[in-house]
Amino acid sequence: MKKDTGILFVFLALLALGSGMFFGSLAALQFIIPGFSDWIPFFKTRPLHVSLVVAWIFLASVGGIYHYLPAFCNLSLRYPSLPKTHFRIFFITGLLVLACYFMGYFGGREYWEFPPLLALPILASWMLFGFNYAGTVLEKKNTWPVYLWMWGTGIIFFFFTFSEAYLWLFPYFRNSIVRDLSIQWKAYGALVGSWNMLVYGTAVFLMEKIKGDTKVAYSTQAYLMYFLGLFNLMFGWAHHIYILPVAPWVRILSYAVSMTELIILAKIIRNWRSSFSRGSRVRDSLSYRFLYASDVWIFLNLILALAISVPAVNIYTHGTHVTVAHAMGSTIGINTMILLASCFFIIESMPEKSNNRSAGKIMKAGVVLFNLSLFVFWTSLIFAGVSKGVMVVEGKLSFREMMDKINPFLITFAVSGISMFVSVLMIIIPVIPSLGRYIAKRTSL
Amino acid sequence: MPLFLKRFLFWSLCLIFLVYTFYLYTSSTSADRGLAFLDEKAKAGKLLFQKYNCTACHQVYGLGGYMGPDLTNVISAKGKGPGYAKAFLLSGTARMPNFHLSSEEIDNIIAYLGYVDKTGVSPIIDFKLNADGTVSAGERK
């Protein structure tokens, strides 16, 4: 494994996570203290935060896949030098995106707030990834574990949905707010679905490797869950646009499709106790701890997602901080927990890993603090959102009065957000030196 | 699960998805009550709205940032209107930056907000909840 470019992705992913949470903390403070840190105003810190943490999710997923295929799946990459090209393009484009935000050049669309031209190199590098992935896994003639399907699906749909998110460049789509917002959120729904495919695929992979249980990756049930996920990715996104004047069937279909996630909820509850191994050696690993935490967060967030997909609930929560709770709960509680499990699975299997016990203690404390802070963060957003939603519908208070009323929740949100940032530093700083040593030995830029 | 069944399910879902996507690109999103108000100024205004990243703080139809108010109906809301919105764009507030926009830029953004206002209502506060979890929206009075 001389060319382990996957690790470079993982390293950059951890840096993106740390800096993304830094800007998130800054933005949260600016939210509650007008004029705070004026040198970089909120309309710049917000996209810096969003793009860096989205980059974390993609870099960590992609890095894991590049690393796992040859190291654990017995599939050597079809084009072993392409990952490095992918990495270079992504890295340089990332720097350009950050530079644009600092200088105030925006594309001004939610999620992808950078100028649209920069989407081209991202798409090109993704094609290299897809091309390499297909070339690699199509060699495998015997039955695929479900995660190979999931990763492939994630790659294809990211390509589709990322392109779809740029249809606004055509006047046909841009020049009607109803069509523009519908297609934008259709694309984002599938976008999140596509990265969930990458991340959940990684979770299944880790369960298989950590538990040594191949059933999770090959059983009919595993495949049924995959198809249910795909079905939701495609058709279950419209809770974002229930209030837009689109054709009614769009709403009704999405409502019905979203409710099929109840099946997943039922399955989680049934499998709750059996889904994790009890061996203490395994349980001691950070990787296991993160996976365990993600299981709890999947449960909590699924309930929230189901609730806001019901139009009668959505009408109160749409456009409020409940939507933020939903987004944060799934990107942090589920995606980040699984991806940290993946990063630590790789790090803990490196010969270069350090065995410093006090660092280990700090990291374990970091995991606990991370989860507790997230819980406070998540609940304060729900309280803020529900209060605002009820006040909006009552229609008695002005915007400013409502914001003042929910300010205590927003302060709690900012404080717990900063505490999450600190806990992530406690988790990732101790592993930077050993990752650096590993990279120096096994890869080159 | 046999391979042919997996392939069949995968490709059928993809096919249905493509048909679904086609309808969303065309007839299902074609009802736009404001189209008559979408002149060249409003079109330019939309691009300015993106250029200055207003969406970081503001929502349209409840989609966007949370620091400022939803702008969908600011042009027709009681006590607000084009002049009111202009005042914010001219000088900003403690929370909203002054973007030092030209008067042409301001006019275009106001034209865009005027168009958005005609397309519908957000937030919806006049509605009826149904027993099956759906909502029937009332018309704005």
Side-chain angles (χ1 to χ4, degrees):
Chain A
M1 259 203 317
K2 278 232 169 59
K3 287 189 174 165
D4 191 359
T5 312
I7 290 287
L8 276 180
F9 279 89
V10 169
F11 186 71
L12 192 62
L14 291 172
L15 292 185
L17 175 65
S19 41
M21 291 186 79
F22 168 76
F23 286 112
S25 307
L26 202 58
L29 285 174
Q30 289 172 326
F31 208 99
I32 52 173
I33 312 172
F36 182 83
S37 177
D38 244 358
W39 65 278
I40 176 130
F42 180 78
F43 65 97
K44 293 183 179 176
T45 49
R46 183 183 193 256
L48 280 165
H49 164 64
V50 174
S51 292
L52 280 164
V53 294
V54 170
W56 142 251
I57 293 179
F58 279 102
L59 285 164
S61 318
V62 170
I65 294 171
Y66 275 141
H67 179 79
Y68 295 139
L69 287 178
F72 290 91
C73 307
N74 224 349
L75 289 165
S76 32
L77 293 179
R78 181 84 169 75
Y79 308 100
S81 55
L82 273 195
K84 203 153 280 176
T85 316
H86 178 180
F87 182 81
R88 288 185 190 133
I89 300 178
F90 196 92
F91 183 63
I92 293 169
T93 314
L95 290 182
L96 290 174
V97 166
L98 299 184
C100 285
Y101 291 157
F102 275 108
M103 295 190 301
Y105 296 132
F106 298 111
R109 308 279 291 184
E110 189 94 337
Y111 287 162
W112 313 118
E113 291 171 71
F114 48 79
L117 202 59
L118 290 175
L120 285 177
I122 295 179
L123 266 184
S125 69
W126 196 261
M127 271 170 88
L128 298 183
F129 178 42
F131 194 57
N132 210 355
Y133 183 82
T136 305
V137 299
L138 291 175
E139 294 284 301
K140 185 172 161 68
K141 296 290 174 240
N142 42 3
T143 312
W144 289 8
V146 73
Y147 50 82
L148 287 187
W149 279 84
M150 296 170 87
W151 289 338
T153 307
I155 293 171
I156 296 174
F157 275 88
F158 176 75
F159 191 83
F160 177 80
T161 174
F162 189 66
S163 315
E164 194 177 40
Y166 284 94
L167 285 175
W168 68 270
L169 290 168
F170 299 97
Y172 172 79
F173 289 95
R174 177 170 76 225
N175 286 337
S176 156
I177 187 88
V178 178
R179 177 166 294 141
D180 185 33
L181 284 178
S182 307
I183 304 307
Q184 186 183 2
W185 287 90
K186 168 182 186 293
Y188 291 171
L191 168 83
V192 173
S194 75
W195 84 48
N196 280 341
M197 280 285 171
L198 300 177
V199 176
Y200 293 170
T202 304
V204 176
F205 168 86
L206 290 172
M207 302 248 282
E208 184 195 64
K209 300 301 169 197
I210 294 179
K211 280 171 70 180
D213 165 11
T214 49
K215 224 180 81 193
V216 290
Y218 289 92
S219 65
T220 302
Q221 200 190 48
Y223 277 95
L224 288 177
M225 285 295 146
Y226 156 72
F227 282 113
L228 189 60
L230 181 58
F231 183 57
N232 270 279
L233 173 164
M234 291 171 163
F235 308 108
W237 54 277
H239 56 271
H240 292 291
I241 57 143
Y242 279 163
I243 70 165
L244 268 177
V246 294
W249 69 265
V250 180
R251 264 183 291 265
I252 294 164
L253 178 74
S254 177
Y255 176 27
V257 170
S258 301
M259 290 305 119
T260 60
E261 292 195 347
L262 277 169
I263 301 171
I264 304 181
L265 192 64
K267 177 180 174 289
I268 296 177
I269 297 172
R270 227 187 46 170
N271 291 10
W272 194 271
R273 302 195 43 220
S274 60
S275 71
F276 280 90
S277 132
R278 282 154 204 285
S280 62
R281 197 183 58 78
V282 174
R283 229 175 9 190
D284 206 39
S285 76
L286 282 182
S287 182
Y288 174 84
R289 283 164 199 241
F290 281 122
L291 262 195
Y292 189 83
S294 76
D295 220 34
V296 179
W297 284 108
I298 289 175
F299 176 73
L300 293 176
N301 278 294
L302 206 52
I303 294 177
L304 184 62
L306 281 161
I308 64 174
S309 299
V310 178
V313 177
N314 187 278
I315 194 103
Y316 286 94
T317 60
H318 178 74
T320 75
H321 300 79
V322 173
T323 317
V324 191
H326 167 53
M328 297 298 101
S330 18
T331 49
I332 307 173
I334 306 176
N335 296 337
T336 297
M337 294 298 165
I338 292 173
L339 291 172
L340 282 172
S342 167
C343 292
F344 278 91
F345 180 74
I346 299 176
I347 291 166
E348 283 167 345
S349 65
M350 289 184 330
E352 283 80 0
K353 83 164 188 188
S354 101
N355 280 321
N356 182 332
R357 293 189 69 190
S358 55
K361 277 199 187 133
I362 294 179
M363 290 158 79
K364 279 176 191 159
V367 179
V368 176
L369 181 63
F370 187 34
N371 280 282
L372 290 178
S373 317
L374 176 58
F375 187 73
V376 175
F377 184 82
W378 188 75
T379 31
S380 57
L381 282 169
I382 295 179
F383 279 115
V386 171
S387 322
K388 184 176 166 207
V390 171
M391 287 188 278
V392 167
V393 172
E394 282 175 350
K396 291 197 192 113
L397 300 181
S398 74
F399 177 76
R400 196 66 269 143
E401 289 164 332
M402 288 191 286
M403 292 302 274
D404 287 343
K405 281 240 149 85
I406 63 171
N407 206 37
F409 297 124
L410 297 181
I411 293 174
T412 318
F413 148 81
V415 171
S416 51
I418 293 168
S419 151
M420 259 196 302
F421 171 52
V422 171
S423 62
V424 162
L425 293 184
M426 287 163 67
I427 296 166
I428 60 182
I429 288 179
V431 298
I432 297 287
S434 36
L435 259 181
R437 279 197 298 277
Y438 181 92
I439 287 172
K441 244 192 241 171
R442 318 270 168 123
T443 55
S444 58
L445 259 175
Chain B
M1 190 184 283
L3 183 59
F4 81 88
L5 186 58
K6 290 175 197 160
R7 286 190 176 150
F8 173 77
L9 280 173
F10 182 83
W11 292 114
S12 337
L13 278 174
C14 286
L15 191 69
I16 300 170
F17 180 65
L18 285 180
V19 174
Y20 167 80
T21 298
F22 173 79
Y23 278 102
L24 280 168
Y25 285 180
T26 54
S27 60
S28 303
T29 52
S30 60
D32 184 336
R33 282 183 278 154
L35 273 187
F37 298 84
L38 186 72
D39 54 13
E40 290 309 313
K41 288 173 80 170
K43 287 180 190 166
K46 177 189 175 70
L47 294 177
L48 289 167
F49 196 83
Q50 292 189 188
K51 178 177 168 194
Y52 291 105
N53 210 20
C54 309
T55 194
C57 301
H58 288 289
Q59 305 179 335
V60 169
Y61 284 106
L63 299 165
Y66 298 80
M67 193 186 276
D70 186 316
L71 297 180
T72 316
N73 303 120
V74 64
I75 296 300
S76 67
K78 217 168 77 196
K80 301 186 181 174
Y84 170 91
K86 225 177 234 179
F88 282 87
L89 291 172
L90 270 173
S91 48
T93 68
R95 288 185 172 77
M96 172 165 156
N98 179 351
F99 291 94
H100 304 286
L101 305 169
S102 70
S103 60
E104 192 191 349
E105 285 180 317
I106 294 183
D107 285 348
N108 290 346
I109 292 177
I110 299 292
Y112 170 61
L113 293 176
Y115 153 70
V116 171
D117 179 59
K118 300 287 182 203
T119 61
V121 185
S122 169
I124 295 174
I125 56 175
D126 181 16
F127 57 83
K128 209 178 92 221
L129 300 181
N130 304 321
D132 58 4
T134 58
V135 173
S136 334
E139 278 293 310
R140 192 157 36 142
K141 289 166 203 120

